Amino acid sequence: MKKLFLVFLPVIFLLACNEQSVKHDKEEKKVKKISKRDISITSANSYNDIFLDSMDVVNFIAKDSIPDSISRRITSFYNARNYQYAWFSSAGLSEQAMGFTSLLNFTADTSKEQKSLLKKLDGMMADSDLTVSAKDKNAVNTELRLTRNFIEYTRNNFEKGYVKRKEAERFIPSKKVDAVEIADSLINKKHNDDKYFDDINEPYKLLKIQLKKYLDITRSNQWQQIQGIPQKFKLGDSSSSIKALKNNLFLTGDLTVKDSSKVYDSLLQGAIKNFQRRTGFTPDGKISKEFLSRFNITPLERIQQILINMNRMRWLPVTPPGKLALVNIPEFVLHMYDGPKEDFSMPVVVGKEGHNTVLFSDKLTTIVFSPYWNVPPSIVKKEILPGMDKDPNYLQSHNMEVYGNAGGIPEVRQLPGDKNSLGKVKFLFPNIFNIYFHDTPAKSLFSKDQRAYSHGCIRLSDPTKMAEYLLQDDKAWSPEKINEAMNSGNEQFVQLKNPVPVFITYYTAWVDKNGQLNFRDDIYGHDKGVMEKMFVK
């Protein structure tokens, strides 16, 4: 019996060693799934300007008993960033945080965790004075909760194998990069996350094609700055700058035939009009100061602008079934979709500087016909009270009344009617910013190229069309009845049977349905802020 035991003893030891070896191999594989800490990222080259303590991440994982599959990804995520904040800078929430919050709000489950997180983020976004320090416990906790939700979102919503760990870690920029190098990498190297967006995100894919065009223009060194060109031209006039203008318009594709002459002809005029159309200005063919200021934006700056907007498009959901309203602020346009099909679009007026229309998503639930306008307290303080001091009949002349008092400040509302600032109908998608769509008596604003004039809400050029579209499946609401309700003078609330998602976006570069690359002005300075953080000078 002893001999038998001695025969099997080496086998037992061998099996035990093999078992330890297999276990060790598995542990090694786990370690390999965690990115190394990138110590090349410093405060001098980081995208955001504040950093976490690595122990904050360790304590968060332990406190919430986060599963290994997620905790390893969280650790890897912050190693790749050298523990730089992903969702905050010292100035508050980052653009990526607002993009992911919109996406999360759109796709959120009913878990208490997500509801709690979204409520916390709403409060932060509503705080215009929000600043953050690296040690702020509230910011640390919200940062790490966002990261956990982001990792869970990528695992649950992206097809398996498409977006790998390292690629998900590149979703949020971590340090300043060379725009040309990153553009070349996106175009010529294989990235699974990029392939994913090419496959499911048509706007992203189309914009990347245009990125290649501007990369080629930059590398060709054929672009010429236009200087000293007269502003008034008649067909047949000539100028030494016309040749350079034609050269650049050919490079951008606005001039379809290569022409090295110095003559201002009908082909050049048509090319100028096309450029004006796709940059949001009335196509009059004139070489104005506005035209030259936009046309002289360098191809490198356009590459940066395209990259910024490609990053923004990563936060769009896959096209949902049913209706969706998308407002692109720099375009001053509302697009109404039914699935992938655009049913119509209309000009809108958005918030002027200082009253920026914020970026978020929600669901349109209610139409209000013949609405009162409950004047926000800030407007009462800044505009109504000074007006009342100067003119005792101010309220009456503006069709307004005081209906209450809050903290010593009169509560003022404007009565329904033709003079009402909200016009004859408004569309509610309840949110903490108190932003909604509405009609307006100031119709002349819609004929302007630049339409940032409101106090933050979004004015529709054709609210009747919007009401009829949203109620088209409700037999109780014919066009005649809608018109009657809009003009009744009696406020009436109508709940939609099927709420419609609303996305408020900020794209300054995109490809339209005609295949034209569009650029718009950075009216709120968001592009400028991201460029300073994202690209080396």
Side-chain angles (χ1 to χ4, degrees):
M1 194 68 181
K2 284 183 180 180
K3 287 183 179 179
L4 188 63
F5 178 78
L6 289 173
V7 169
F8 278 98
L9 192 60
V11 177
I12 292 169
F13 272 107
L14 183 60
L15 289 173
C17 288
N18 283 343
E19 186 178 335
Q20 289 295 321
S21 177
V22 169
K23 186 176 181 181
H24 179 72
D25 287 345
K26 286 182 178 178
E27 291 299 321
E28 282 291 309
K29 287 181 179 179
K30 285 183 180 180
V31 171
K32 287 180 181 178
K33 289 183 179 180
I34 297 178
S35 294
K36 290 183 179 179
R37 186 162 181 171
D38 187 352
I39 59 173
S40 72
I41 299 172
T42 68
S43 57
N45 65 7
S46 60
Y47 180 81
N48 289 324
D49 61 348
I50 52 176
F51 288 74
L52 290 158
D53 186 321
S54 60
M55 284 307 298
D56 288 332
V57 178
V58 172
N59 293 336
F60 174 78
I61 289 169
K63 179 177 177 291
D64 285 17
S65 303
I66 296 173
D68 285 349
S69 59
I70 302 298
S71 66
R72 286 197 303 273
R73 292 285 293 270
I74 294 173
T75 302
S76 183
F77 179 84
Y78 283 106
N79 275 350
R81 305 181 60 78
N82 200 17
Y83 289 82
Q84 170 196 175
Y85 274 75
W87 311 103
F88 290 91
S89 70
S90 61
L93 284 164
S94 69
E95 183 171 291
Q96 290 74 28
M98 287 186 280
F100 182 50
T101 300
S102 285
L103 185 60
L104 198 60
N105 190 50
F106 180 77
T107 58
D109 58 31
T110 55
S111 70
K112 288 183 179 179
E113 157 61 17
Q114 285 193 346
K115 284 182 177 180
S116 167
L117 178 58
L118 288 169
K119 185 177 180 180
K120 170 71 72 177
L121 290 165
D122 278 350
M124 287 181 161
M125 285 193 286
D127 183 359
S128 59
D129 298 321
L130 178 68
T131 57
V132 174
S133 70
K135 302 297 183 182
D136 183 338
K137 291 183 179 180
N138 185 34
V140 169
N141 182 258
T142 307
E143 162 80 16
L144 295 172
R145 290 171 71 189
L146 264 169
T147 299
R148 177 180 182 175
N149 275 272
F150 169 68
I151 289 168
E152 289 174 344
Y153 179 88
T154 59
R155 287 165 61 90
N156 295 335
N157 291 277
F158 292 162
E159 189 174 330
K160 189 174 181 181
Y162 255 119
V163 183
K164 296 179 180 177
R165 169 180 51 83
K166 287 188 175 181
E167 288 155 346
E169 289 165 5
R170 286 197 296 266
F171 268 49
I172 298 98
S174 59
K175 64 181 177 180
K176 292 178 173 64
V177 295
D178 181 282
V180 170
E181 287 182 11
I182 199 71
D184 179 76
S185 177
L186 283 170
I187 292 164
N188 297 311
K189 294 182 181 179
K190 291 182 179 179
H191 296 291
N192 276 16
D193 60 328
D194 206 51
K195 183 180 185 304
Y196 175 81
F197 286 105
D198 282 351
D199 287 349
I200 69 156
N201 190 322
E202 189 72 7
Y204 181 95
K205 178 181 179 180
L206 293 173
L207 203 49
K208 192 167 82 168
I209 292 169
Q210 297 296 329
L211 179 66
K212 183 180 186 307
K213 177 197 287 187
Y214 278 84
L215 182 62
D216 291 344
I217 293 172
T218 298
R219 286 178 164 169
S220 73
N221 291 317
Q222 294 180 43
W223 185 265
Q224 302 174 39
Q225 288 297 101
I226 313 298
Q227 294 178 343
I229 192 167
Q231 291 184 39
K232 292 184 179 180
F233 273 95
K234 299 190 299 289
L235 291 177
D237 287 351
S238 63
S239 167
S240 57
S241 298
I242 291 296
K243 183 178 178 180
L245 185 59
K246 287 183 174 180
N247 170 76
N248 291 359
L249 284 165
F250 179 73
L251 291 174
T252 60
D254 295 289
L255 186 64
T256 56
V257 179
K258 192 171 180 61
D259 180 4
S260 58
S261 72
K262 299 178 182 179
V263 179
Y264 181 78
D265 53 23
S266 59
L267 283 177
L268 175 58
Q269 188 181 62
I272 292 171
K273 287 181 178 180
N274 192 66
F275 179 85
Q276 289 171 323
R277 265 190 296 269
R278 64 187 190 85
T279 53
F281 287 87
T282 302
D284 57 16
K286 295 178 181 178
I287 303 175
S288 64
K289 287 183 180 179
E290 289 77 15
F291 168 80
L292 286 175
S293 69
R294 286 157 187 80
F295 192 71
N296 271 330
I297 294 173
T298 67
L300 176 58
E301 289 173 298
R302 290 304 193 191
I303 286 173
Q304 293 176 338
Q305 188 176 2
I306 290 169
L307 288 170
I308 286 169
N309 283 277
M310 286 175 67
N311 278 346
R312 286 175 182 148
M313 287 175 180
R314 287 170 175 255
W315 304 107
L316 268 181
V318 178
T319 305
K323 295 180 176 64
L324 179 144
L326 186 147
V327 175
N328 185 21
I329 293 171
E331 186 186 8
F332 308 111
V333 170
L334 177 147
H335 301 269
M336 199 73 216
Y337 293 93
D338 192 349
K341 175 176 164 284
E342 184 177 340
D343 282 344
F344 63 87
S345 62
M346 69 174 68
V348 300
V349 170
V350 301
K352 59 188 173 183
E353 191 172 356
H355 297 274
N356 298 8
T357 301
V358 294
L359 317 179
F360 67 100
S361 68
D362 223 300
K363 290 187 177 179
L364 198 162
T365 60
T366 310
I367 300 175
V368 185
F369 294 116
S370 295
Y372 284 95
W373 177 39
N374 296 315
V375 184
S378 60
I379 298 177
V380 172
K381 288 181 185 177
K382 293 177 182 178
E383 299 178 25
I384 307 298
L385 292 179
M388 291 169 64
D389 288 340
K390 293 177 183 178
D391 179 5
N393 295 316
Y394 181 90
L395 290 180
Q396 185 178 357
S397 64
H398 288 81
N399 203 32
M400 292 179 175
E401 65 180 12
V402 174
Y403 67 96
N405 188 290
I409 300 173
E411 293 178 300
V412 179
R413 66 182 180 183
Q414 193 172 38
L415 304 175
D418 293 336
K419 292 183 179 181
N420 190 289
S421 295
L422 305 184
K424 299 178 179 181
V425 60
K426 67 178 179 179
F427 305 85
L428 304 181
F429 35 102
N431 56 83
I432 59 167
F433 312 107
N434 197 30
I435 288 175
Y436 45 86
F437 300 149
H438 65 87
D439 183 18
T440 175
K443 303 295 185 185
S444 62
L445 295 177
F446 295 107
S447 63
K448 296 180 179 291
D449 291 331
Q450 301 287 297
R451 297 189 292 274
Y453 293 99
S454 81
H455 284 91
C457 287
I458 297 166
R459 306 176 192 177
L460 306 184
S461 58
D462 195 346
T464 303
K465 183 173 186 175
M466 186 69 164
E468 290 178 354
Y469 180 80
L470 294 174
L471 294 171
Q472 63 184 333
D473 297 325
D474 190 335
K475 294 180 180 179
W477 286 98
S478 65
E480 293 76 19
K481 186 171 180 182
I482 289 172
N483 180 65
E484 180 184 340
M486 287 176 66
N487 291 282
S488 70
N490 296 313
E491 189 174 62
Q492 184 175 1
F493 288 72
V494 179
Q495 301 297 319
L496 294 184
K497 293 179 179 178
N498 298 302
V500 174
V502 175
F503 267 79
I504 313 296
T505 61
Y506 193 90
Y507 297 128
T508 60
W510 74 93
V511 178
D512 65 25
K513 58 187 176 184
N514 298 315
Q516 291 269 309
L517 174 61
N518 280 247
F519 291 116
R520 292 296 187 273
D521 288 350
D522 179 25
I523 61 171
Y524 294 159
H526 293 337
D527 282 10
K528 182 177 182 293
V530 174
M531 281 183 186
E532 291 172 353
K533 295 169 62 172
M534 188 171 178
F535 302 114
V536 293
K537 295 181 180 178

